[in-house]
């Protein structure tokens, strides 16, 4: 009997261990699947039906069409409308069961018609309102579209409103010419969110912003979001572009990485405390022309930073909604500037940063 009792005890003990491991595995998987992290990438219209589309579909279910939904593409001037490219993106998303963030903000990437120095506030207002009304109604009926950027790059790193410049070939924001309300807030921001709130109730509205983690800039973004909400307009999330070594400076994100990541953590905490999602909307890493010979070192820096960002987003996804979107998948060259790196090299082979994003994907939902 003693031998049988010992045998029974050991069998019982083993069953408990197996069940405990099974329960732990289920609990771990459940916590990952129920997370609030969404990971995706951007495709340009010209990249549909190419190797980049194949690479995208291999790993991602979250899509941002690059520039096909902006004013410059859809409604560049009075009497002109072009829905072809964005409609094809919507068809692509529906065919492949993708979640979409429409990068369709009232922003500096405006048409030359809008940038013309003689353009009046009345003309800009009429064009912007027609554009925002049309895209809000059009996108609101598409179940694949979950998010929409309403404005982008509104504030400079020093806290000033980004505005117009002379000519039509510079990076500028002509919409500021529409004027300000009685409290000094740009009318284009107020009108854009008013229209999106009314006509896109099914879509989460995002206030997107470039540059780095400058306190002055983000304090003004926060103040503006509170003001928009005080007017009854909906803001569901904030976006940070994440163009590393372009708007986001090397001094902050490489030389003082831990300090800057902590600032990002604080910003995410603020967003979640105020019922806002946090979106990394356009992540890439610029290797400037003068540093091309140091590509190996630059990619090591990129991998280290991407690991930090991924770790942070995974952790913060436990308390609220976060997303990570790559701006392109391969190497994007800009003449006179350098090569923007993502997760594949020029031969479409994975770089080290690919494996950082794979960790994020394993913790993502879906």
């Amino acid at each position: 009997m003693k031998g049988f009792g010992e045998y029974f005890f050991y069998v019982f003990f083993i069953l408990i261990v197996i069940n405990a491991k099974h329960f732990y595995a289920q609990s771990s998987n459940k916590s990952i699947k129920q997370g609030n992290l969404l990971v995706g990438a951007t495709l340009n219209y010209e990249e549909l039906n190419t190797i980049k589309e194949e690479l995208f579909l291999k790993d991602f279910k979250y899509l941002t069409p690059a520039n096909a939904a902006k004013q410059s593409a859809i409604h560049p001037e009075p009497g002109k409308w072009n829905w072809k490219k964005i409609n094809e993106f919507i068809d692509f998303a529906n065919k492949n069961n993708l979640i979409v963030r429409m990068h369709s903000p009232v922003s500096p990437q405006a048409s030359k018609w809008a940038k013309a120095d003689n353009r009046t506030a009345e003309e800009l207002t009429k064009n912007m309102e027609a554009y925002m009304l049309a895209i809000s109604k059009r996108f609101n009926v598409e179940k694949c579209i979950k998010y929409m950027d309403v404005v982008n790059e509104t504030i400079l790193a020093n806290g000033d409103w980004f505005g117009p410049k002379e000519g039509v070939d510079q990076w500028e924001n002509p919409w500021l010419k529409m004027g300000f309300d009685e409290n000094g807030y740009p009318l284009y921001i107020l009108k854009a969110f008013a229209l999106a709130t009314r006509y896109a109730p099914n879509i989460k509205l995002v206030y997107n912003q470039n540059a780095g983690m400058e306190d002055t800039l983000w304090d003004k973004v926060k103040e503006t979001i509170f003001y928009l909400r005080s007017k009854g307009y909906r803001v569901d999330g904030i976006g940070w572009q994440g163009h590393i070594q372009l708007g986001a400076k090397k001094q902050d994100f490489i030389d003082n990485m831990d300090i800057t990541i902590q600032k990002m953590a604080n910003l995410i905490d603020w967003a979640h405390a105020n019922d806002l999602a946090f979106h990394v909307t356009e992540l890439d890493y610029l290797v400037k022309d003068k540093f091309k010979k140091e590509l190996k070192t630059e990619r090591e820096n990129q991998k280290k930073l991407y690991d930090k960002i991924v770790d942070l987003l995974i952790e913060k996804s436990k308390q609220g909604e976060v997303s990570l979107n790559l701006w392109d998948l391969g190497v994007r060259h800009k003449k006179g500037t350098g090569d923007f790196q993502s997760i594949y090299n020029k031969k479409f082979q994975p770089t080290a940063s690919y494996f950082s994003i794979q960790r994020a994907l394993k913790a993502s939902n879906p």
Side-chain angles (χ1 to χ4, degrees):
M1 291 296 293
K2 182 178 180 181
F4 177 80
E6 288 179 345
Y7 173 79
F8 179 81
F9 173 80
Y10 286 127
V11 170
F12 182 72
F13 177 78
I14 290 170
L15 287 173
I16 290 175
V17 171
I18 291 172
N19 286 333
K21 287 183 177 179
H22 179 66
F23 175 79
Y24 178 78
Q26 283 188 321
S27 299
S28 299
N29 289 335
K30 186 176 181 182
S31 66
I32 289 174
K33 290 180 180 178
Q34 288 185 343
N36 293 301
L37 173 61
L38 193 59
V39 182
T42 296
L43 287 174
N44 282 283
Y45 177 75
E46 295 75 15
E47 293 167 348
L48 295 175
N49 301 307
T50 69
I51 187 174
K52 285 190 177 180
E53 177 188 306
E54 295 176 14
L55 293 173
F56 175 91
L57 292 174
K58 178 174 69 71
D59 283 324
F60 301 107
K61 299 295 288 185
Y62 171 40
L63 170 70
T64 300
N67 295 312
K70 290 185 175 178
Q71 177 267 349
S72 55
I74 289 180
H75 187 42
E77 60 185 81
K80 286 191 176 182
W81 293 91
N82 184 6
W83 297 95
K84 179 180 182 295
K85 291 182 179 181
I86 202 60
N87 283 343
E88 288 189 29
F89 266 118
I90 292 172
D91 291 342
F92 172 73
N94 287 328
K95 177 183 176 181
N96 293 285
N97 194 29
L98 305 177
I99 294 171
V100 176
R101 188 187 103 249
M102 276 300 175
H103 187 50
S104 53
V106 180
S107 72
Q109 199 150 19
S111 65
K112 289 189 175 182
W113 176 89
K115 291 181 178 182
D117 294 340
N118 63 346
R119 195 63 55 223
T120 66
E122 291 74 19
E123 289 174 315
L124 288 170
T125 299
K126 187 175 181 179
N127 178 269
M128 190 282 287
E129 289 183 336
Y131 163 72
M132 184 55 65
L133 175 63
I135 64 169
S136 295
K137 288 183 174 181
R138 172 71 182 89
F139 298 158
N140 189 62
V141 299
E142 295 292 343
K143 292 183 179 180
C144 65
I145 301 174
K146 185 174 182 180
Y147 309 100
M148 182 171 78
D149 295 343
V150 179
V151 295
N152 187 29
E153 300 185 26
T154 61
I155 302 166
L156 298 172
N158 64 3
D160 292 342
W161 297 114
F162 187 27
K165 298 177 182 177
E166 290 186 4
V168 296
D169 297 319
Q170 298 190 69
W171 196 248
E172 61 168 299
N173 181 12
W175 309 106
L176 199 66
K177 291 166 66 175
M178 287 170 55
F180 301 84
D181 78 346
E182 66 277 10
N183 293 308
Y185 288 90
L187 291 176
Y188 81 91
I189 297 177
L190 299 173
K191 290 177 180 291
F193 272 99
L195 288 165
T197 297
R198 181 174 180 181
Y199 293 103
N202 299 328
I203 302 175
K204 294 185 177 183
L205 308 180
V206 179
Y207 192 119
N208 200 28
Q209 184 60 48
N210 63 331
M213 289 292 121
E214 292 85 356
D215 293 335
T216 303
L217 181 156
W218 287 106
D219 285 346
K220 193 158 188 174
V221 170
K222 295 173 185 178
E223 173 189 295
T224 305
I225 289 173
F226 286 142
Y227 189 71
L228 287 165
R229 285 178 164 180
S230 75
K231 294 287 187 180
Y233 308 145
R234 184 163 50 86
V235 185
D236 301 300
I238 56 173
W240 170 65
Q241 288 184 0
H243 292 300
I244 307 301
Q245 301 204 101
L246 184 64
K249 296 178 290 187
K250 179 179 184 293
Q251 179 182 355
D252 294 335
F253 283 86
I254 303 302
D255 299 339
N256 295 289
M257 190 180 297
D258 289 339
I259 293 173
T260 302
I261 290 295
Q262 183 57 54
K263 284 188 173 184
M264 190 185 301
N266 295 340
L267 181 59
I268 297 173
D269 288 342
W270 174 87
H272 289 163
N274 287 280
D275 196 25
L276 292 160
F278 181 83
H279 305 278
V280 179
T281 57
E282 304 177 28
L283 185 64
D284 58 17
Y285 186 98
L286 172 62
V287 177
K288 296 181 180 180
D289 287 334
K290 62 182 179 180
F291 294 121
K292 278 188 176 181
K293 293 182 179 179
E294 301 176 28
L295 181 59
K296 181 179 179 181
T297 300
E298 291 286 0
R299 282 189 172 154
E300 289 172 353
N301 289 337
Q302 179 192 10
K303 172 69 163 61
K304 183 178 179 182
L305 177 60
Y306 278 28
D307 279 340
K308 295 272 189 179
I309 292 174
V310 166
D311 287 343
L312 176 63
L313 295 182
I314 290 174
E315 179 63 28
K316 295 303 181 183
S317 71
K318 299 172 184 176
Q319 69 182 30
E321 185 179 4
V322 293
S323 76
L324 170 60
N325 181 71
L326 302 173
W327 196 253
D328 211 322
L329 289 169
V331 178
R332 176 171 55 92
H333 179 72
K334 184 175 181 180
K335 187 177 180 181
T337 302
D339 289 335
F340 290 87
Q341 308 289 322
S342 186
I343 57 174
Y344 291 95
N345 63 21
K346 291 181 179 180
K347 295 181 179 180
F348 298 107
Q349 299 166 328
T351 64
S353 294
Y354 173 85
F355 300 98
S356 304
I357 302 305
Q358 283 296 309
R359 286 199 304 109
L361 283 165
K362 289 178 181 178
S364 69
N365 181 29

